[in-house]
Amino acid sequence: MKNIFSILLIIIITGCATAPQPQKTQLQIREFQTRTYTDVDSKLVMKAMLNVLQDDGFIVDNAVPELGLLTASREVDIENKGKAFAAALFSGVHARWEKNSLVIASCNVSDIKDGCKVRVNFQQKILDNKNGIVKIRQIDEQEFYQTFFNKVSKSIFIQKMGL
């Protein structure tokens, strides 16, 4: 009976395990962080990116058009009231729990021969209730960047049409 239970337990554990995802190389990440837009200048693209970031709830921290640099951030409350209560109950004034998610966007826009090239990097910081950093990670999901660049393309089109 113990053998059957052990075998079932092993099957359940190994059946639930997921294969580790292969790490993306920096070149692969750079590829989906970068887009080239033709027949537009960097000023129009920067304005389009500003609009998209603001539409997505970002606050523009810095914009330097001469360098093609744009940085913005968005903070979201991610506090779980149950975890906060439990942490405070067991640790008192020294309790720490995840409180905010801060997403930082860094954009680089460069003029090229027939348009401009854009590279965007997003980073996420998880902060605790005392503003300490719990975790920092580069957002490296290709779909995230595709969604962002689709919005930028639409914003460029709207600006070109004067809407």
Side-chain angles (χ1 to χ4, degrees):
M1 188 67 169
K2 285 184 179 180
N3 288 340
I4 293 173
F5 180 73
S6 298
I7 292 171
L8 286 175
L9 185 61
I10 291 171
I11 290 171
I12 290 170
I13 291 171
T14 57
C16 295
T18 57
Q21 296 294 321
Q23 287 229 322
K24 296 176 183 89
T25 66
Q26 189 56 46
L27 187 60
Q28 290 170 319
I29 294 169
R30 180 181 276 206
E31 184 178 338
F32 60 73
Q33 289 178 334
T34 306
R35 286 290 184 282
T36 301
Y37 295 99
T38 57
D39 300 325
V40 292
D41 64 1
S42 59
K43 184 177 177 182
L44 183 112
V45 173
M46 281 192 70
K47 182 69 174 156
M49 289 186 359
L50 273 165
N51 288 330
V52 169
L53 289 166
Q54 288 178 328
D55 289 346
D56 285 349
F58 283 80
I59 302 298
V60 176
D61 299 318
N62 197 9
V64 185
E66 301 82 34
L67 297 176
L69 173 68
L70 174 63
T71 60
S73 56
R74 175 181 66 198
E75 192 165 354
V76 178
D77 184 357
I78 60 169
E79 181 177 53
N80 178 309
K81 300 294 184 195
K83 287 182 180 179
F85 176 77
L89 182 66
F90 291 109
S91 299
V93 296
H94 303 292
R96 292 187 175 260
W97 59 88
E98 291 182 357
K99 173 76 174 134
N100 294 314
S101 170
L102 179 65
V103 177
I104 302 163
S106 175
C107 312
N108 180 1
V109 182
S110 305
D111 283 317
I112 57 172
K113 185 178 179 181
D114 295 329
C116 72
K117 190 177 197 174
V118 176
R119 182 170 180 205
V120 180
N121 184 328
F122 289 93
Q123 180 186 67
Q124 180 187 36
K125 290 182 182 179
I126 303 296
L127 305 172
D128 66 20
N129 57 307
K130 298 183 189 265
N131 255 0
I133 296 173
V134 175
K135 178 171 62 171
I136 299 175
R137 75 176 188 96
Q138 178 180 355
I139 297 174
D140 63 359
E141 291 84 22
Q142 185 171 355
E143 300 78 26
F144 184 90
Y145 290 90
Q146 285 174 340
T147 301
F148 176 78
F149 282 121
N150 287 340
K151 291 176 184 179
V152 171
S153 295
K154 288 177 186 175
S155 184
I156 290 171
F157 175 77
I158 288 169
Q159 283 190 231
K160 282 177 133 181
M161 294 296 118
L163 302 173

